[in-house]
Amino acid sequence: MDWNEIREKARQNMKGYCRGCKRCDGVACAGEVPGMGGTGTGNSFIENIKALDRWKVKLKTLHDVLKPDISTSFLGYKVKMPIFAAPMTGLKGNAGGYLSERDYDTMAAEACKNVGTIFMSGDANDKDMYPAGIDAIKTTSVLGIPFSKPRTVDEIIEKARIAKEAGAIAFGVDVDGAGLIMMIRSGQFVGPKSRKEIEEIVKNIELPLILKGIMTPEEAEIAAESGAKAIVVSNHGGRVLDFTEGTADVLPDIAKAVGGKIEILVDGGVRTGIDVLKMLSLGAKAVLIGRPIMIAAHGGGREAIEFYFKKVSDELYQAMILTGCKDLKNVPEVYKAS
């Protein structure tokens, strides 16, 4: 199996929705929402890529690191790599409908279980989307984390109850979905969440709460103080607000503010193993990857998703050797090019 072949097949199966670009950087698909692009000018998606590119590593080969350990843990669960599948929904509107929600969730969950990592599922205006991820977690017994959009507190608590019954290890809320017009127009409530509301959610669910869509140290502090166990530094892949900062640029300050208080994940433009290593060096415990996994699914199903995970984990392993990094507790320093 070859990544270029997977991309080409995905391009055919997602025709009109994704070009399967050699580098998934948001340029060719700018503004294509619905679709796989970033909202408006596409600047926020593109900035995620640029922000990661600005950070550099130092090549080191005079050391004794021969077999780096790329395993880690999240919320007490041991995983073989710090690379998780981001929650993805809306395949019909965003990817053309070649795969159904259940097709995608099942193959992604199976792939994550087979490679030893965490699967995350999503939520959207179509009420069948959340159950598709829940069922994938239940049937595969993967380490799974469903995410709800920022609905009413009562709706979120109910979705967390369903997640718990399915065997999920945690439960998340996409707080950066607060302004999703598609949901508002379909008559479903989404909106910002106050500190009091987060505390109420934490108090009334039985799973650790993850808040996804944190882009400032101040909101990271609120998440930690309100009882959330983890955050995802994310601008929703650049799909909800134009002209935000890239996640790699805001991550260091967030890690400085709440590192040690709460577990930190990050997404946004992660494509390769060196991207993973840079995000870990900037303060994340693990990364979420979305679009490339969607492309893999359309280019070769479960096997292609596993291929992509192994490709990126191999790149991470190599990058750790070439930076003298023996494990993920001893990541190298990174710096911005002048």
Side-chain angles (χ1 to χ4, degrees):
M1 190 168 276
D2 176 83
W3 182 240
N4 289 328
E5 293 174 358
I6 292 170
R7 287 193 303 105
E8 180 54 38
K9 189 173 180 181
R11 189 204 315 266
Q12 296 168 14
N13 292 333
M14 302 170 76
K15 190 173 182 180
Y17 291 85
C18 178
R19 295 160 183 80
C21 296
K22 185 173 183 180
R23 191 183 195 200
C24 179
D25 60 7
V27 175
C29 57
E32 295 181 4
V33 180
M36 299 293 284
T39 194
T41 65
N43 180 272
S44 295
F45 177 0
I46 295 168
E47 190 61 22
N48 280 338
I49 303 292
K50 289 182 176 179
L52 258 174
D53 284 352
R54 284 191 287 270
W55 291 98
K56 308 298 179 183
V57 297
K58 292 185 177 181
L59 174 66
K60 295 181 179 180
T61 56
L62 302 183
H63 53 72
D64 60 358
V65 176
L66 299 176
K67 295 182 179 180
D69 180 4
I70 70 167
S71 68
T72 190
S73 63
F74 178 64
L75 297 176
Y77 292 89
K78 184 86 171 180
V79 290
K80 292 183 178 179
M81 61 184 73
I83 308 158
F84 306 162
M88 301 278 282
T89 57
L91 274 74
K92 184 175 181 181
N94 295 316
Y98 175 80
L99 296 174
S100 70
E101 299 289 333
R102 290 182 179 274
D103 288 338
Y104 173 75
D105 283 336
T106 299
M107 64 177 61
E110 289 175 344
C112 287
K113 183 176 182 180
N114 289 345
V115 302
T117 194
I118 290 174
F119 165 72
M120 296 178 173
S121 62
D123 180 29
N125 59 319
D126 183 336
K127 293 182 179 180
D128 290 332
M129 292 181 184
Y130 186 76
I134 289 290
D135 289 347
I137 292 169
K138 189 174 183 178
T139 58
T140 64
S141 299
V142 68
L143 295 177
I145 304 175
F147 277 75
S148 168
K149 287 293 183 278
R151 300 175 181 271
T152 66
V153 169
D154 287 345
E155 287 175 309
I156 290 171
I157 291 170
E158 174 60 15
K159 287 186 180 295
R161 181 191 66 78
I162 294 169
K164 172 70 174 177
E165 291 180 352
I169 63 170
F171 174 77
V173 178
D174 269 322
V175 290
D176 53 7
L180 286 173
I181 297 299
M182 65 176 183
M183 295 196 67
I184 296 170
R185 286 181 176 170
S186 67
Q188 300 178 59
F189 175 84
V190 288
K193 291 288 165 275
S194 68
R195 183 190 298 258
K196 183 178 179 180
E197 287 175 311
I198 298 168
E199 290 173 348
E200 185 177 354
I201 293 166
V202 170
K203 182 180 178 181
N204 288 282
I205 69 174
E206 298 181 52
L207 292 170
L209 178 66
I210 304 171
L211 296 179
K212 179 175 174 287
I214 303 299
M215 288 289 287
T216 68
E218 295 78 16
E219 295 211 325
E221 290 275 14
I222 291 171
E225 292 165 1
S226 300
K229 297 302 182 184
I231 58 172
V232 184
V233 177
S234 173
N235 62 11
H236 210 90
R239 293 176 62 79
V240 292
L241 181 64
D242 210 356
F243 294 102
T244 68
E245 295 174 272
T247 55
D249 279 343
V250 302
L251 176 57
D253 286 343
I254 291 173
K256 183 177 180 180
V258 298
K261 299 179 184 178
I262 195 169
E263 298 213 55
I264 302 171
L265 305 177
V266 66
D267 67 13
V270 178
R271 301 291 180 260
T272 66
I274 191 65
D275 290 339
V276 175
L277 186 59
K278 286 194 282 185
M279 286 296 203
L280 301 186
S281 297
L282 293 172
K285 187 70 176 289
V287 305
L288 279 55
I289 298 182
R291 288 178 179 92
I293 292 176
M294 181 73 76
I295 291 167
H298 283 78
R302 175 188 58 77
E303 291 182 351
I305 298 174
E306 291 180 24
F307 175 90
Y308 181 76
F309 272 121
K310 290 173 182 176
K311 171 181 175 293
V312 177
S313 62
D314 283 349
E315 291 166 350
L316 172 61
Y317 186 90
Q318 177 175 302
M320 289 171 68
I321 291 174
L322 294 174
T323 55
C325 175
K326 67 178 182 178
D327 57 43
L328 301 184
K329 294 178 181 178
N330 296 277
V331 290
E333 291 184 1
V334 292
Y335 66 97
K336 277 189 176 180
S338 56

